[in-house]
Amino acid sequence: MSTLTAKQKAFLALARSHPEGIDDDAVEQALPEMGLEERMKVINELASKSLITFMRQGNSLLYKAKTDAEAGKMSMMDDHERIIYQHIEDADNEGIWLKRLRDRTGLPAKVVDRCIKKLEQKLLIKSVASVKFPTRKIYMLFDLTPSVELTGGPWYTDQELDVDFIDTLATQCYKFILSRSFPANKPGAIYGPEYTFYPTAGQIRRFIMDNGISTVDLSVGDINTLLNVLVYDGKVERRAPVGDLMDWDEDEDIGGRGGRRAQRKKKPTKEPEYMYKAIRNKLTDTALVDIPCGKCPVYEKCSETGLVSPSNCVYFKNWLEF
């Protein structure tokens, strides 16, 4: 900073006060004494020192300041490495595919590969794997954590969908919901419509984590993903919380002067925290469904004199032996 002029320091301080970037109009308003020609000179000088970078937002060009640490990293690079690094930086934790990186920079493949190798050696970037595109080489800044889109979140282990882990968690979620869905020690009993203690996704997450069922730190969003599976499988149902999910507008005169007044509901101001209730399938508790005849696909063709009969039924024989 000691080698910067007063105007360069003023512009850099202004840019750093706007971490998301600042456009020309904001700069002109904050630094009216700095004319356009002089401002462009200052910007180019700061850019050459790797103290600011340029961003495009719609039709506007934004100037974003680098921290001293970031500027130090940039000073370790040549021009080609700096171009590669900035494109990888712009990709954030989504990363950028090697082919796309070559297309966007317009640099020869050998130059891009050489720069990537050097940046990896300096521990400035890293290669990450994608569960969606396992054959692609994707790069991001070294200190970033890959997004869920790349890693697949907690449901993937070594880029493979962990079906056993998912099934175990879904089963435990269902058992917890089931334990809260019906009165204990009262077979066949149900709660009334005023019952408000069905578990929410947050409560289910707390149960999973507190009991050590998952060693992976699951978010409420992850639990909601499991609950959606249970809903689609017909094992649980989603219920809106009891109470006013909507605010009421002020009284509205709908009958003219002195006429009847009514109230209108507004749209919900926030997403409600849904509760989940287990669905009890009564058919699975009957003996008719338990035996093969209860779910036989050729039941209508079964008779003592037909090709299919109780005496030669393979399914019935296996069920009796079991």
Side-chain angles (χ1 to χ4, degrees), residues 267-286:
K267 292 182 179 180
T269 56
K270 63 179 180 179
E271 184 71 19
E273 188 176 14
Y274 289 104
M275 299 181 295
Y276 293 86
K277 177 183 179 296
I279 297 175
R280 177 182 287 166
N281 189 349
K282 295 182 179 180
L283 289 177
T284 59
D285 297 332
T286 67

Side-chain angles (χ1 to χ4, degrees), residues 88 92-95 125-126 128 139-142 144-146 150:
I88 295 176
D92 201 35
N93 66 345
E94 295 292 334
I125 66 170
K126 63 183 177 183
V128 295
Y139 294 91
M140 67 172 52
L141 297 189
F142 187 81
L144 291 182
T145 300
L150 289 175

Side-chain angles (χ1 to χ4, degrees), residues 30 48 100 119 132 145 147 154 156 175 204 211 216 285 322:
S48 66
R100 190 165 295 150
L119 292 173
K132 288 185 177 180
T145 300
S147 69
Y156 283 78
K175 287 182 177 179
I204 296 169
N211 287 276
V216 180
D285 297 332
F322 181 79

Side-chain angles (χ1 to χ4, degrees), residues 240-292:
V242 177
D244 287 333
L245 297 182
M246 300 184 179
D247 297 327
W248 289 92
D249 279 327
E250 293 182 358
D251 290 348
E252 176 191 13
D253 189 345
I254 62 173
R257 189 171 184 177
R260 186 166 58 88
R261 305 183 69 84
Q263 289 181 316
R264 295 180 303 176
K265 284 186 176 181
K266 296 179 181 178
K267 292 182 179 180
T269 56
K270 63 179 180 179
E271 184 71 19
E273 188 176 14
Y274 289 104
M275 299 181 295
Y276 293 86
K277 177 183 179 296
I279 297 175
R280 177 182 287 166
N281 189 349
K282 295 182 179 180
L283 289 177
T284 59
D285 297 332
T286 67
L288 180 61
V289 176
D290 187 44
I291 64 175

